[in-house]
Amino acid sequence: MSEQYFSDISLTARVLGAGFYYSPADVQEIIQLLSSRAWTEDWPYGSAEQKQHIADKLAITQSENETLDEAYQRLFIGPYALPSPPWGSVWLDKENVIFGDSTLQLREWMQHNHIDIRLTQNEPEDHFGLLLMMVAWVVENNPQKLPELLAQHILPWGFHYLDKMQKNANFPFYVGLAELAHLTLTGWQKNLNIEADKKMIFFR
């Protein structure tokens, strides 16, 4: 694989990871980039038509009923039930809990491979946004471990999460973000020829 190939993964993973993990107020430059349509020419995954379709949604950062910050609060923080929870163990644990067995398995994998994402608070490492930023770290520091990270800890549940986010986010920007992540994750899987581990999905 070329240096440009890994650079593409790192850049797209960081942009998407920040978009899913941080509040809009904390990543204003990334929000401006994604809502500007300027990204479509350089994004390495998907057709021009697919990217334009997504860009139309990402350009809408205000609805009749919500601001972007309010939508982020509803989709990622609460206080009410999240329409598509961003933690892997909610999808992979029979009890739909955070810090489930799959989180512990990820933590063990991270420790074994000396991956420290320096969390500032006690939170699950299997947040979808954190995992995408972890993809960038692994590509830059230990790229041979990328197939393991994707196959074992992201792909088994990631598409289910993104599909449900697209259906239930009810806010154009975050629907577009989920579609762009789906397109990008598909590109990574195809280019690396990865088969996802088969795991039971419990969250519906």
Side-chain angles (χ1 to χ4, degrees):
M1 296 293 183
S2 68
E3 183 177 338
Q4 183 62 50
Y5 174 81
F6 286 116
S7 177
D8 286 344
I9 295 177
S10 175
L11 177 61
T12 54
R14 287 192 182 282
V15 169
L16 290 171
F20 277 95
Y21 184 68
Y22 294 108
S23 72
D26 292 331
V27 286
Q28 291 184 17
E29 289 185 4
I30 286 176
I31 300 298
Q32 290 170 3
L33 169 68
L34 290 173
S35 62
S36 71
R37 304 177 191 270
W39 60 271
T40 57
E41 293 184 9
D42 298 321
W43 202 266
Y45 312 104
S47 67
E49 184 179 2
Q50 287 174 312
K51 289 184 283 189
Q52 186 57 55
H53 174 75
I54 292 170
D56 289 343
K57 295 178 182 177
L58 289 171
I60 303 174
T61 58
Q62 174 80 42
S63 74
E64 292 182 4
N65 302 315
E66 279 184 313
T67 65
L68 189 60
D69 288 290
E70 289 169 343
Y72 173 84
Q73 179 77 24
R74 173 174 57 83
L75 294 171
F76 295 97
I77 307 298
Y80 304 110
L82 306 185
S84 186
W87 303 281
S89 66
V90 175
W91 295 83
L92 300 173
D93 192 287
K94 188 178 295 186
E95 303 300 324
N96 305 135
V97 295
I98 61 173
F99 289 110
D101 289 342
S102 63
T103 313
L104 301 180
Q105 291 165 8
L106 171 63
R107 188 174 292 175
E108 290 174 4
W109 183 86
M110 291 171 61
Q111 291 172 347
H112 179 74
N113 292 291
H114 310 291
I115 298 171
D116 180 8
I117 56 175
R118 294 184 174 84
L119 297 176
T120 56
Q121 55 190 353
N122 183 29
E123 61 180 320
E125 292 88 344
D126 61 346
H127 185 291
F128 187 74
L130 281 176
L131 284 169
L132 293 185
M133 290 188 281
M134 197 184 303
V135 164
W137 189 97
V138 169
V139 165
E140 295 164 7
N141 295 278
N142 198 357
Q144 65 269 25
K145 290 295 179 179
L146 180 59
E148 283 184 21
L149 175 59
L150 290 169
Q152 297 174 16
H153 303 290
I154 300 177
L155 292 174
W157 67 279
F159 287 122
H160 295 279
Y161 163 69
L162 293 171
D163 287 343
K164 200 169 185 68
M165 176 68 88
Q166 289 174 48
K167 292 175 183 175
N168 298 328
N170 294 321
F171 194 93
F173 178 88
Y174 283 112
V175 172
L177 188 67
E179 291 181 358
L180 184 58
H182 199 293
L183 192 68
T184 302
L185 204 55
T186 300
W188 296 345
Q189 182 178 20
K190 180 179 179 180
N191 293 342
L192 291 165
N193 194 26
I194 297 171
E195 184 173 348
D197 288 6
K198 290 180 170 56
K199 298 183 180 181
M200 186 73 73
I201 297 296
F202 291 100
F203 185 83
R204 299 295 179 184

